[in-house]
Every structure is written in C-alpha cells, then in structure tokens.
Amino acid sequence: MSPGTRSDADWMHAAIALALRGRALSSPNPSVGCILVRQGRVVGRGWTAMGGRPHAEAMALTAAGEAARGATAFVTLEPCAHDSQRGPACADLLVAAGVARVVIGTLDPDPRTNGEGAARLASAGIAVETGIAEPAARASLAGFITRQTLGRPFVTLKLATSLDGRIALADGSSQWITGAQARAHTHVERAHHDAILVGGGTYRADAPRLDVRLAGLEIRSPRRVLLSRMGDAPAGWTALASPGDIGSLDGVDWLMVEGGTEVAAAFLAADSVDRLLLYRAPVLIGSGKAALGDIGLDRLADAHGRWRLTDTRLLGNDRMESYQRIR
Amino acid sequence: MSPGTRSDADWMHAAIALALRGRALSSPNPSVGCILVRQGRVVGRGWTAMGGRPHAEAMALTAAGEAARGATAFVTLEPCAHDSQRGPACADLLVAAGVARVVIGTLDPDPRTNGEGAARLASAGIAVETGIAEPAARASLAGFITRQTLGRPFVTLKLATSLDGRIALADGSSQWITGAQARAHTHVERAHHDAILVGGGTYRADAPRLDVRLAGLEIRSPRRVLLSRMGDAPAGWTALASPGDIGSLDGVDWLMVEGGTEVAAAFLAADSVDRLLLYRAPVLIGSGKAALGDIGLDRLADAHGRWRLTDTRLLGNDRMESYQRIR
C-alpha cells in the first residue's frame, strides 16, 4: 500500500496501537494515542506518558516541531479543552501548532471537555471529524469510559480451564493446565491492568505469583486487591468487602479478576464483568474444581445474548478467547 | 488451476470427499472413494454403495466405460484382492479395464487383502503408488481401521457445553445451550454414524429425539444403543453393560456417544474415545451439571498430550471443535 492510500480509519488504528503503550501506566489519565500525518507521512507520534502527562498530542507535536504545520492529527480521544496546573489544553496546542485537520476516535465523556475540545478546534478554522474507528477507539479507552459512565473500573475476568471447564483437579492441583505461551499472555494482560483482584483462597495459594513475570516488565505488576468479607488487607494489598466496592479503587480503571471460583461467580452475579478472558487447554479433567460457582442464573434463556467473541488465537496448544459483555 | 496441474494429493482428497457419501451406509464394508482421471479430466467416480456393494472402483469403472483405458485410478483404500460371492476383486476389475496407474490412500488392514491388492496390480504392469494423502485417507476410514485393529468401533464423544463447561442448569434444563446451526450440525454427524449410544438418564429424557431430524436424511438415523448395567434393552434398542462391550455391535464401525455425564466419563476412563466433538455456546451457566464425571485422572501431567485439535468452525454463535485422540 503506498503511503497516500491509507484511510483515516487505518491511521486511527495506528494511533490506537500507540495508546496501548501507556495503558495502565497513565493513571490518573486515560492512555491516548496521537499520530501527526503530513502528505501521507508520519511526522510525529505520541501516547500518554507515565503518570498522565504529557498528553499524547503534546508528545506528538514536540516530535513533529515545524512539520506539524498543515498536518492532520489522528487522536483516539477528543483533545482536552481544560487548562490544568499540569499543562495547557491540547486543543490550544493543536491550534498553536497550525494543524490543518483533526480526526478524533471518540468524544471525551469527561464533562469538562465533552464536545468542547472539538468545538475549540473548529472555531479556530481546523477541519474536525469525529467517530472514526470509534468502536476500536472506545475499546482502547474502556477503562476510562467505564469509570466515567459507571463509576467503576472496566473488569476483565480471567479463567484458565480444561476443555470440560475445570480449573483444577479435585485435590486443588492446577499447575499447569495451560502451557507456557498462554501463561506469558496472562502476564502481558496483567501489565495492561491497574489492579488484580483475587479471593482469599487464591491469595493463600498464589499470592507470591500474582505479579508480572516477564523480563523488563516486572515494574508493571498491578496493584493487588483482596476480596474479603472481613475487609482486612495484608501488607501491600487493598481489601474490598464486595464487588460493589470496586468504584472506590482510586486510579484503577482496568481491573483484572483472577480467582477463584466464588469470586468469579460473585462478579458475574453482580453483572460487574465487562470482558471474559478465557484460556482453554486441550485436556480433560473430569471431576474437579468448576470454573464458576452460582452466578444466579435461573433460566437458560437469560444466559444468551450477553457475550460476544471479540478476539481469539492459538497460544501453543491452548486457545485464548476474549468475550465482551453486550450491554 | 488448470486441470492438468492438480497433484495426486488433490485427487486423493477429492476421492476422500466422495467416500463420505457412503459413510455409515456401506456396512459391512468401509466406505471408499474412487476417481478415474485421464489426461487431467475425471472420467469416472464411485463410492461404496449402500450395503457395501458395488465397491467404489466398480462404480467408477462402470461410469467410465472405455474411457478407463490408460486412466489413473485414485482410490482411498487399497483395492480388494479377494473374490467374493458378491462380486469380483477390484484389483482384477482395474486390470481388466486397462487402467495404467493406481494411486492408493492407504493399504487395507484386512489380512485377506493387505498388500495383496497392490501386488496384483503391479504384477499386471500397472504403476502403483501408496500412501498418498494417507492421514486424511485413514481418517476417512477410521471406523473400519479401528474395527480391524482394535476390534471395536471408532468412538466419537459429543458434548455441548457452555463456556464454563456445563451441559445443563442445576435443575437439568439444557434446551437450548447451543443454537440451531450447531444442532443441525449434530444431526449431520448422527447421519455419519452407524449407532448412537446414551445412558439411562439421557434415554429417559431424550429417547424420542435421538434421531436425524434433517429433511431427507431421516432414514439415516443411526441404530440406538443403551448403556445399562441391567443389560435390558427397550424395543428398537440394543443394550450394552459396559464400554468394553462395544466390539460386539455387529456392523457398527462408527459409534457416537451422546450422553450423559457418567456415560461420557466411563468411556474416557476406559480410554475408548477416539474423537471429541465439542459444541460450545457463548453463555455462562455457573453452578449446574458438569460435562464429565470422574474419568480417573490422578495427575494433571497425565491429561496432556492426549488430544489434538483437527477441525474447528463457527456455527452461528457457537464454536464446533473436533479433537482426535493421540495414540
């Protein structure tokens, strides 16, 4: 494909890929991606830095320098319109840099910006388009959007099972059902989450292992949260009494629930799972520990229409599947 | 692809596809496929007829007539070398027809033919090649080969589960977990089996439904077998006391085990399952009926290396997967 033939959606997907670099590092801000393109060539790239500043647009504009003049900016989230003690509004930076056109993945649900950033760009004579590759842009911002709209993190429930849905033998042994590649994938997923939540049984069995064990990514181990009716947290952990309390986890937009059976069922019963991350090994276990306890399902018909497959791949002998809650 | 560029393996796969037409209809003979090709064009096709005769080669030679002279015959199984009251040996028919070359998928494990058919062709001056697309040819003949080598039918265990491995709610309701397309696929699978086996619980719940309910294929409903320790069979059914008795099912080379939990576990515990046919719906059930009971697994390590994925497809919202036992 020659450079000039890429569509706006192609560039937006490239910006979304950049945004992933800052995921679960950019708190308290969402991780945004920005690409500046002039005459079909990339002149600047940016993503939200660790800690939330600089913003993606500022980083891309700094990289482009004078080349930003007349360029098109592809940005996954509407540029902010509010000045902050931590830096100027991105809409103003784009105007000052002389950008000719801004293509936006999705508008900012933050009431301080919602539509205001796009309006400020337009009033400065910049061509503005919104809603480009919007489902993918929103998926990349799901933690932030869920926090803004539901007041809680986006919740991924991870399960690793046999073909017959078991997570362990009857004696509790579960090392290993899935292979090395699937387990490495789980560690990348952990690095993309702000916090990881488990119940008491998993805490007692696996606490030392609930980190990112990929060379170079150890510092991206998420915060650790224990679901415990007692509410008492071990050192280095946060305790919550129920799934309904996850909104109180400051700075946590992406939460991964990793076990065990009753915790997973409690989140599902509360309809607080937004994504299922399943790893399935080509083994049969038979009698053993089931993946889920009671999720409050009374009629089979109610189980349908809730989950849509959004990604699947083979990892060694195992299959990964990602399902999104249909809301 | 121009006609002349097809490889021997391509033609063999076409012959294998023809063989499927006779599957579970050709008892007491295996269903074989045969294609006669001259100068890159098909001049005759055949597959084993209902009841086992005529054989595939005889049907293809009849279709080709004089055009068989100088042709290449692609046949999934070694042509038979033994005369029978029901017809002449296929090796002799091929020689008499003046075929120039015979390409064989796999040799016949039947001791009356094993290697003898190929030898008779060669001694008549026909070029013979064996082992072309052999894994696929053997898979299409698995019922026959398993009967010859293990003295029992090839066993497919079918399971329809939720994502969490449940086959029903706690109250037993299971209609429906999978959708209409997956259920139609099951009916095609039934039509490709000589017999279907269930346990007492499934018999009592579903007996009237254990047939092929696809318009035009009703007559291909398999024989029905009940696994029952008591050994007493209802009218129209055959009763077996244990999985070890399936070798006694005369004329049954392809057996499908459809339920329930304990029957499936008993076959797995006896290592008498050759293929898993899984249908998985994008639903979660939580507490409910597990797919499998105790299969006698003591150590997780023993569960690995037993199953290889050989086919998968989406059927509506459901995923079908086929796994073959690695032996």
Side-chain angles (χ1 to χ4, degrees):
Chain A
M1 186 186 278
S2 68
T5 64
R6 290 192 197 277
S7 71
D8 286 355
D10 291 335
W11 289 117
M12 186 60 69
H13 282 288
I16 290 166
L18 283 177
L20 186 62
R21 300 188 180 191
R23 183 169 149 172
L25 289 173
S26 63
S27 175
N29 292 331
S31 185
V32 173
C34 178
I35 290 190
L36 290 163
V37 178
R38 194 166 76 164
Q39 295 173 340
R41 292 173 57 103
V42 174
V43 296
R45 301 181 307 157
W47 55 93
T48 313
M50 197 181 295
R53 293 275 177 172
H55 281 183
E57 299 93 325
M59 180 175 166
L61 290 169
T62 300
E66 269 308 301
R69 198 157 299 278
T72 296
F74 295 88
V75 57
T76 58
L77 180 68
E78 181 184 9
C80 64
H82 54 278
D83 286 316
S84 146
Q85 291 185 322
R86 302 181 68 201
C90 289
D92 296 333
L93 290 179
L94 289 162
V95 171
V99 164
R101 182 167 168 254
V102 176
V103 179
I104 296 169
T106 192
L107 292 180
D108 188 344
D110 184 330
R112 293 175 300 178
T113 293
N114 191 274
E116 179 61 32
R120 194 175 303 181
L121 295 167
S123 69
I126 294 175
V128 177
E129 286 179 77
T130 60
I132 304 302
E134 187 158 19
R138 290 181 68 85
S140 78
L141 292 158
F144 173 67
I145 292 171
T146 305
R147 171 64 75 180
Q148 292 284 328
T149 55
L150 299 181
R152 61 161 179 83
F154 181 90
V155 175
T156 293
L157 171 63
K158 173 234 162 185
L159 297 171
T161 74
S162 62
L163 295 178
D164 53 328
R166 302 299 192 180
I167 60 169
L169 300 197
D171 67 6
S173 56
S174 62
Q175 289 176 11
W176 296 106
I177 292 176
T178 53
Q181 292 179 44
R183 301 204 304 276
H185 189 273
T186 298
H187 285 257
V188 173
E189 285 280 345
R190 283 181 182 168
H192 286 155
H193 282 80
D194 296 304
I196 180 171
L197 180 148
V198 299
T202 303
Y203 166 73
R204 284 183 291 275
D206 288 339
R209 309 190 70 94
L210 295 172
D211 51 8
V212 176
R213 291 190 301 281
L214 295 173
L217 288 182
E218 298 88 345
I219 62 150
R220 297 190 62 168
S221 292
R223 285 167 54 186
R224 298 189 288 188
V225 181
L226 177 64
L227 192 72
S228 154
R229 289 209 191 94
M230 318 295 290
D232 43 348
W237 288 67
T238 303
L240 292 181
S242 97
D245 297 339
I246 56 174
S248 71
L249 292 168
D250 270 344
V252 175
D253 286 356
W254 301 98
L255 176 66
M256 182 142 109
V257 174
E258 273 215 47
T261 294
E262 296 309 321
V263 168
F267 272 82
L268 288 164
D271 197 13
S272 295
V273 177
D274 303 297
R275 175 181 174 233
L276 297 174
L277 174 61
L278 307 184
Y279 300 94
R280 209 154 134 272
V283 302
L284 296 174
I285 289 181
S287 54
K289 292 206 174 177
L292 297 176
D294 186 3
I295 62 170
L297 182 71
D298 295 321
R299 299 180 328 127
L300 203 38
D302 297 337
H304 289 278
R306 299 171 74 90
W307 301 102
R308 182 177 53 236
L309 183 70
T310 55
D311 193 16
T312 180
R313 71 188 70 171
L314 278 171
L315 297 166
N317 291 324
D318 307 320
R319 179 167 285 279
M320 182 281 288
E321 292 176 329
S322 180
Y323 290 86
Q324 197 101 11
R325 177 77 171 89
I326 301 165
R327 296 195 190 272
Chain B
M1 188 184 279
S2 67
T5 64
R6 290 192 198 279
S7 71
D8 285 355
D10 292 335
W11 290 117
M12 187 60 69
H13 283 288
I16 290 167
L18 283 177
L20 186 62
R21 300 187 180 191
R23 183 169 149 172
L25 288 174
S26 63
S27 175
N29 292 330
S31 186
V32 173
C34 178
I35 291 189
L36 289 164
V37 178
R38 195 167 75 164
Q39 294 172 342
R41 293 172 57 103
V42 174
V43 295
R45 303 181 306 157
W47 55 94
T48 313
M50 197 181 296
R53 294 272 175 170
H55 281 183
E57 299 92 325
M59 180 174 166
L61 290 170
T62 300
E66 269 307 302
R69 197 158 300 277
T72 296
F74 295 89
V75 58
T76 58
L77 180 68
E78 181 184 8
C80 63
H82 54 281
D83 286 314
S84 147
Q85 291 185 320
R86 302 182 67 199
C90 289
D92 296 332
L93 290 177
L94 289 161
V95 170
V99 164
R101 182 168 169 253
V102 176
V103 179
I104 295 169
T106 193
L107 291 181
D108 188 344
D110 184 331
R112 293 175 300 177
T113 294
N114 191 274
E116 180 60 31
R120 194 174 305 181
L121 295 167
S123 70
I126 294 176
V128 178
E129 287 181 74
T130 60
I132 305 302
E134 186 157 19
R138 290 182 69 85
S140 78
L141 292 158
F144 173 67
I145 292 170
T146 305
R147 170 65 75 180
Q148 292 284 331
T149 55
L150 299 181
R152 61 162 178 84
F154 182 89
V155 176
T156 294
L157 171 63
K158 172 233 163 185
L159 298 171
T161 74
S162 62
L163 295 178
D164 53 328
R166 302 299 192 178
I167 60 168
L169 269 53
D171 68 6
S173 55
S174 63
Q175 290 177 10
W176 296 106
I177 292 175
T178 52
Q181 292 178 44
R183 301 203 305 275
H185 189 272
T186 298
H187 286 257
V188 172
E189 285 280 346
R190 284 180 182 168
H192 285 155
H193 282 79
D194 295 304
I196 178 170
L197 180 148
V198 300
T202 303
Y203 167 74
R204 285 184 291 276
D206 288 338
R209 311 191 70 94
L210 295 171
D211 51 7
V212 176
R213 293 190 301 283
L214 296 172
L217 288 182
E218 297 88 345
I219 62 151
R220 298 190 60 167
S221 293
R223 285 168 54 186
R224 298 190 287 189
V225 181
L226 177 64
L227 192 73
S228 155
R229 289 208 192 96
M230 317 295 289
D232 43 348
W237 287 66
T238 302
L240 292 181
S242 96
D245 297 338
I246 57 174
S248 70
L249 293 168
D250 270 344
V252 174
D253 286 356
W254 301 98
L255 176 67
M256 183 143 110
V257 174
E258 274 216 44
T261 293
E262 296 310 322
V263 169
F267 272 83
L268 288 163
D271 197 14
S272 295
V273 177
D274 303 297
R275 175 183 174 229
L276 297 174
L277 174 60
L278 308 184
Y279 300 95
R280 209 154 134 272
V283 303
L284 295 174
I285 288 181
S287 53
K289 290 205 176 179
L292 297 176
D294 186 2
I295 62 171
L297 182 72
D298 295 321
R299 299 183 326 130
L300 203 38
D302 298 335
H304 289 277
R306 298 172 75 87
W307 301 102
R308 181 176 57 237
L309 183 69
T310 55
D311 192 17
T312 178
R313 69 189 71 173
L314 279 171
L315 297 166
N317 290 324
D318 307 320
R319 178 167 284 280
M320 180 282 286
E321 292 176 330
S322 180
Y323 291 86
Q324 197 102 10
R325 177 77 172 89
I326 302 165
R327 294 194 192 274

